[in-house]
Amino acid sequence: MSGVKLKYACDLDKSVLLNNFDRRGWTAVSPDEDWNFYWASVQTVRTVFSVDNGYRLGDEQVINHFPNHYELTRKDLMVKNIKRYRRDLEKEANPIAEKDENGVYKHLDMFPVTFMLPADYNLFVEEFRKNPNSTWIMKPCGKARGIGIFLINKLSQLKKWSRDSKTSTFSQVTTKDTYVISRYIENPLLIGGKKFDLRLYVLVTSFRPLKCYMYRLGFARFCTVKYNANVNELDNLFVHLTNVSIQKQGEDYNSVHGGKWTIHNLRLFLEGTRGKEITDDLFNKINWITVHSLKAVAPVIANDRHCYEIYGFDIIIDDNLKPWLVEVNASPSLSSTTSSDRIMKYNLISDAINIVIPPGKLPDVRASKTPDKENLGQFDILFDEELDKSDLVTLENSRGLKSYPNVPLPAPIRGGRDVRVSQGRASWK
């Protein structure tokens, strides 16, 4: 229990939030009053940091989103920023950006071939015609929970969608109407014949220098219907989309376990079926993807010192045990479908608060953002550009972390540009 009376404001009526605040003895106030901690909606954050608003945060105030988090969490901007990041590293002849004989990135092949529509329509058509039997997945850029997603395997389907959505030509489309279209991963890893993906929680307290933490208690989300790649099943969302908001509408949904496995149980299963070394390598690759997606947006994120953010990373694994980044969520669901789900999300919020605000203290944005080890809870340090390398190795050894692959990360970003650092700096190798 904290001896300090913090004042908090909260836009969401979620028990996993309010119970955490009440347990700490914090005092609820209106967003218009003087608060120390604000769990705000993304719309509120946009208003708080609006130039027209003229609002200035104090040194004892923290808020749960970065001003332009959408550079990572909008599907089209995420793709654009990662593509730019890879090109920049390639220009520098950085070994991370090395390609194989087919022109595929060896270390940064993070997501399937993806195009933005309408902007990349002609490029997409050119790629589609190279592999006319392939399946693609369409996603609206500004929506979540599986809304508006569909699969296609013929150009005529895309043209029909264009007509049906009253955009008969791919022009003059608003930002809200933009879509990403990605090659569908037709060989997902199946367990019990069913497709699944991973929801991983990553806390970021700073982008420059990058400080990020991976939560151990993520989970795998399973479809309720066995996977079938037959073209006749392309419209069956219960086969293809793992979103809980969709799967819980199905008649085969199990409300006891919610169609979820813990990451711990998934690892045990994979270690038993594929071996520990291969499983460790898979999760190291997932960590690698996570760090580099964050580094890709670090130069363009408004790194306000009052901000932190819990991102929901969605990862899918194919049957070669290669992980793919699907998307990143700025407001991962805090609703609970099962009792274990509620406990996990309560602890997620509690552990995140202990890192952002050391127990028993008020927020202080002037203080060090490196937490004490005893305050990490179920979070592991994923990457910290400020830690000395020896400190990082000690933490890795003590918490069972590994590094992948044996290629150095690019230099930290300071003020939106690369600055070379000495070998003494931490490097998540």
Side-chain angles (χ1 to χ4, degrees):
M1 295 289 289
S2 169
V4 177
K5 286 286 186 182
L6 271 78
K7 297 177 182 178
Y8 78 89
C10 186
D11 286 346
L12 304 180
D13 184 20
K14 298 292 183 182
S15 63
V16 296
L17 292 171
L18 301 179
N19 291 344
N20 259 296
F21 306 152
D22 290 344
R23 183 179 67 85
R24 286 170 163 76
W26 292 2
T27 302
V29 297
S30 161
D32 297 326
E33 297 180 69
D34 185 20
W35 47 265
N36 302 111
F37 182 97
Y38 192 173
W39 193 279
S41 67
V42 292
Q43 294 82 7
T44 296
V45 170
R46 195 174 299 126
T47 301
V48 167
F49 289 103
S50 169
V51 175
D52 299 332
N53 186 41
Y55 193 88
R56 185 181 178 89
L57 295 179
D59 289 339
E60 294 184 346
Q61 291 182 302
V62 292
I63 195 166
N64 65 315
H65 293 288
F66 287 90
N68 60 337
H69 58 82
Y70 47 80
E71 293 285 352
L72 177 65
T73 58
R74 262 190 68 96
K75 299 174 184 69
D76 54 340
L77 295 180
M78 180 194 81
V79 170
K80 184 187 79 171
N81 284 315
I82 293 176
K83 285 183 175 180
R84 187 208 66 245
Y85 175 67
R86 297 192 299 200
R87 287 195 306 270
D88 289 347
L89 292 176
E90 205 171 349
K91 289 175 185 175
E92 298 173 7
N94 193 302
I96 292 177
E98 183 182 356
K99 293 181 177 179
D100 64 17
E101 62 276 8
N102 298 315
V104 177
Y105 288 98
K106 287 185 175 181
H107 306 302
L108 295 175
D109 187 26
M110 299 162 60
F111 52 82
V113 176
T114 300
F115 299 96
M116 265 76 82
L117 295 182
D120 297 336
Y121 178 70
N122 291 333
L123 290 173
F124 163 70
V125 171
E126 181 181 339
E127 182 67 26
F128 183 91
R129 286 174 175 160
K130 292 178 185 176
N131 300 279
N133 295 321
S134 57
T135 300
W136 295 74
I137 184 166
M138 285 273 289
K139 300 179 182 181
C141 292
K143 295 182 179 177
R145 302 187 303 278
I147 296 171
I149 296 178
F150 60 96
L151 278 65
I152 68 166
N153 63 349
K154 294 183 178 68
L155 279 178
S156 58
Q157 295 167 309
L158 188 57
K159 292 173 182 175
K160 180 180 183 299
W161 164 80
S162 178
R163 290 193 302 272
D164 293 347
S165 60
K166 299 179 182 179
T167 55
S168 57
T169 59
F170 283 103
S171 61
Q172 298 181 350
V173 183
T174 67
T175 302
K176 290 184 179 179
D177 293 323
T178 57
Y179 275 67
V180 294
I181 186 163
S182 303
R183 190 187 299 279
Y184 186 62
I185 298 169
E186 297 183 73
N187 62 325
L189 178 65
L190 305 178
I191 296 180
K194 295 177 181 178
K195 179 181 174 181
F196 68 95
D197 73 354
L198 306 185
R199 164 55 61 86
L200 303 173
Y201 297 101
V202 177
L203 170 67
V204 178
T205 57
S206 170
F207 276 94
R208 298 190 302 274
L210 180 60
K211 292 175 176 285
C212 54
Y213 308 81
M214 176 71 78
Y215 201 57
R216 296 176 184 172
L217 307 182
F219 52 86
R221 306 178 294 188
F222 286 81
C223 289
T224 53
V225 178
K226 288 191 174 183
Y227 183 73
N228 184 345
N230 190 296
V231 294
N232 297 324
E233 292 285 358
L234 290 186
D235 293 333
N236 190 340
L237 300 184
F238 299 119
V239 171
H240 296 285
L241 300 187
T242 60
N243 307 71
V244 174
S245 55
I246 290 174
Q247 293 297 329
K248 69 182 181 182
Q249 308 301 324
E251 59 184 28
D252 295 319
Y253 179 74
N254 186 316
S255 59
V256 176
H257 57 63
K260 296 176 182 178
W261 270 14
T262 64
I263 292 295
H264 176 70
N265 285 342
L266 176 65
R267 288 194 74 138
L268 288 177
F269 175 83
L270 292 175
E271 287 174 7
T273 55
R274 299 293 187 102
K276 188 174 188 308
E277 185 176 346
I278 291 175
T279 301
D280 288 345
D281 184 60
L282 165 65
F283 281 92
N284 286 329
K285 288 176 180 175
I286 291 172
N287 289 342
W288 176 260
I289 286 174
T290 305
V291 169
H292 280 286
S293 61
L294 294 171
K295 291 198 71 83
V297 300
V300 295
I301 290 287
N303 189 48
D304 192 290
R305 60 183 183 162
H306 302 88
C307 303
Y308 67 95
E309 196 143 16
I310 299 174
Y311 294 104
F313 275 71
D314 292 346
I315 303 284
I316 192 166
I317 304 166
D318 67 24
D319 59 9
N320 297 313
L321 257 59
K322 174 177 171 57
W324 300 91
L325 176 62
V326 177
E327 63 186 51
V328 183
N329 297 272
S331 301
S333 172
L334 295 178
S335 299
S336 305
T337 53
T338 66
S339 58
S340 57
D341 204 32
R342 182 173 63 255
I343 293 168
M344 182 276 292
K345 290 178 179 177
Y346 174 89
N347 290 330
L348 166 70
I349 300 303
S350 178
D351 289 350
I353 291 174
N354 287 341
I355 290 175
V356 174
I357 308 174
K361 297 182 180 180
L362 286 169
D364 185 354
V365 300
R366 299 161 297 183
S368 168
K369 286 184 177 287
T370 301
D372 294 335
K373 282 186 281 188
E374 57 267 25
N375 292 335
L376 289 174
Q378 292 291 337
F379 278 101
D380 286 317
I381 295 177
L382 189 57
F383 184 68
D384 189 327
E385 284 178 337
E386 280 193 332
L387 278 180
D388 181 87
K389 186 180 291 185
S390 60
D391 292 337
L392 190 65
V393 169
T394 300
L395 279 166
E396 287 180 342
N397 291 339
S398 66
R399 301 180 73 82
L401 299 182
K402 301 288 184 182
S403 296
Y404 175 88
N406 191 23
V407 180
L409 276 169
I413 306 294
R414 310 282 186 197
R417 62 188 179 89
D418 284 342
V419 176
R420 299 295 162 192
V421 294
S422 70
Q423 292 301 311
R425 284 292 183 199
S427 176
W428 197 84
K429 298 179 281 296

